[in-house]
Amino acid sequence: MSRAVVVVAAGSGTRLGIGDAKAFVPVAGEPMLTRAVRTVLTLAEPTVVVVVAPAARLDECRVLVAAVAGPAVDLTAVVPGGADRHASVQAGLDALPDGIEWVGVHDAARCLTPAAQFDAVFTRARETGDGVVPALPVTDTVKRVEGDVVVETVDRSALVGVQTPQVFPLARLRDAYAVAERSETDDAGVYRGAGGTVRTVPGDADAFKITTRWDLARAEALVADRAGAVTAGAPAVPAAPVVRLGLGVDVHAFDAASPCRVGLLDFPGEPGLSGHSDGDAVAHAVCDALLSAGGLGDIGGRFGTSDPQYAGAAGDVFVRGAVELLRAAGLVPTSVTVQVIGNRPRIGARRGEMQAALAAVVGAPVAVSGTTTDGLGLTGRGEGLAAIATAVVRPA
């Protein structure tokens, strides 16, 4: 694997005025970042994806990326951004694994960029050995002004508007960023500032950057048009998605002699849970919910205690197994929720970590919550832990 895409998603979205980090703002129901990452994952050539996210939202971003990537999650990474775009891109470049020769830097806010544009830029970069950017000709008349006074008309024949992804030889782009004396508005500026040559390929009108609410409305209209939601001047009624729901419940007693593993996380110093496997009640409930949604039986029937290969097995073994059984049945998870019931271990401080760990295995977002029973029952008396999970699956 020799190429990667750094998706810059750390912007605040101030000009958009939605009150949320721009990459997390939905376009027709899906965050911009989801759409941007999914496009990269449709490319025929395997491509490493590094997402640069707001430092305060890394766990949320990891869940989102894991849900989009599914089986390819190992080819993705999420890292915190810096004080500005320049620092954020550097952070993404630093996170790339060994062996990457070509890197594309892409703005998450250009979330409707077609896959063909990625292929065109990477192909041209490899052909020439130079940096390559997608560009559109400037069609408006361009004026140079001083204040509000027009001074002259600028010849637009030599002007273009550039888009992303912008692709470069990785080693040379890293060097360019290392010696840059000032921030630039794009990566081509940094690359040229270090003496590199930058070429262009034709861009695409759909690869515009969502900056204002008008841009957002335009993007949603394009998505609706692509989906065929508007026909013959009248809005069509979208077909209801075909989904199936499942429920899973699991309870395990505490066993002080066992290590504590809950929701695929280790809790050192806490009593573990008894069981034929690692006793991870949360993972087992998720497994049962997935199997239930697919009409595929339950964890006992599929991964029973009579099978020695599951003795001491970690919870992710059962969740992965359920996901594979769903896939064989032509189904994929859409979302999972799980509630942990018990006095300990306390999961609040590690909720985001647990959600990310579970989502990476499920291949869809997982929401985790916790509660107690106010001293009632086995969980209230501190005898064990319970978990209740629900799962939504859909046809693949």
Side-chain angles (χ1 to χ4, degrees):
M1 200 171 308
S2 63
R3 73 181 197 180
V5 171
V6 172
V7 180
V8 184
S12 63
T14 302
R15 284 179 288 177
L16 191 58
I18 301 294
D20 197 2
K22 188 194 294 188
F24 294 90
V25 172
V27 174
E30 284 194 316
M32 294 186 204
L33 181 56
T34 296
R35 293 184 178 277
V37 171
R38 181 187 295 120
T39 299
V40 181
L41 293 168
T42 66
L43 302 177
E45 181 176 340
T47 303
V48 172
V49 181
V50 172
V51 174
V52 186
R57 304 186 69 168
L58 292 181
D59 287 338
E60 180 182 355
C61 188
R62 289 186 177 114
V63 170
L64 185 153
V65 171
V68 179
V73 69
D74 290 344
L75 297 181
T76 68
V78 177
V79 299
D84 56 18
R85 188 183 188 280
H86 187 98
S88 292
V89 173
Q90 276 191 296
L93 298 178
D94 290 343
L96 293 174
D98 294 339
I100 299 298
E101 299 177 24
W102 299 94
V103 62
V105 182
H106 184 53
D107 292 331
R110 298 183 186 273
C111 61
L112 301 187
T113 301
Q117 182 149 307
F118 284 82
D119 288 330
V121 182
F122 271 108
T123 297
R124 185 60 173 157
R126 282 171 165 163
E127 290 172 350
T128 64
D130 296 322
V132 177
V133 300
L136 291 175
V138 174
T139 56
D140 293 330
T141 297
V142 179
K143 303 287 188 182
R144 187 173 68 83
V145 300
E146 292 180 1
D148 63 350
V149 177
V150 173
V151 175
E152 64 175 336
T153 300
V154 178
D155 181 7
R156 68 188 181 195
S157 64
L159 300 178
V160 294
V162 298
Q163 303 174 325
T164 66
Q166 300 186 355
V167 174
F168 310 90
L170 174 57
R172 292 170 64 186
L173 184 61
R174 278 176 169 163
D175 290 344
Y177 265 91
V179 302
E181 297 180 354
R182 64 177 187 181
S183 294
E184 299 281 353
T185 57
D186 70 351
D187 311 287
V190 176
Y191 193 76
R192 283 202 71 250
T197 298
V198 179
R199 302 179 184 275
T200 67
V201 295
D204 190 289
D206 287 354
F208 65 94
K209 187 175 184 179
I210 299 175
T211 303
T212 67
R213 294 194 181 200
W214 180 265
D215 297 329
L216 181 59
R218 177 186 172 197
E220 293 198 326
L222 284 170
V223 172
D225 186 58
R226 290 176 179 177
V230 179
T231 58
V237 178
V242 179
V243 297
R244 300 171 67 170
L245 307 179
L247 177 68
V249 179
D250 198 52
V251 182
H252 282 273
F254 285 122
D255 177 4
S258 300
C260 183
R261 188 164 177 82
V262 176
L264 307 186
L265 302 183
D266 293 317
F267 288 83
E270 294 284 353
L273 295 163
S274 65
H276 180 249
S277 61
D278 65 353
D280 187 339
V282 171
H284 297 174
V286 170
C287 174
D288 256 341
L290 292 169
L291 293 172
S292 171
L296 299 171
D298 54 42
I299 189 171
R302 291 289 184 170
F303 314 103
T305 57
S306 61
D307 193 332
Q309 70 173 311
Y310 298 118
D316 67 302
V317 170
F318 305 104
V319 178
R320 291 183 196 278
V323 172
E324 286 302 317
L325 288 168
L326 284 171
R327 184 173 290 111
L331 300 167
V332 294
T334 297
S335 65
V336 171
T337 61
V338 57
Q339 184 166 67
V340 188
I341 306 169
N343 301 331
R344 57 192 307 184
R346 296 188 178 277
I347 66 167
R350 302 186 69 185
R351 185 191 318 276
E353 186 182 357
M354 187 177 293
Q355 290 178 158
L358 289 165
V361 180
V362 173
V366 176
V368 175
S369 62
T371 190
T372 67
T373 55
D374 291 331
L376 300 175
L378 67 91
T379 59
R381 294 190 297 269
E383 298 173 4
L385 188 76
I388 301 174
T390 59
V392 181
V393 304
R394 61 172 176 80

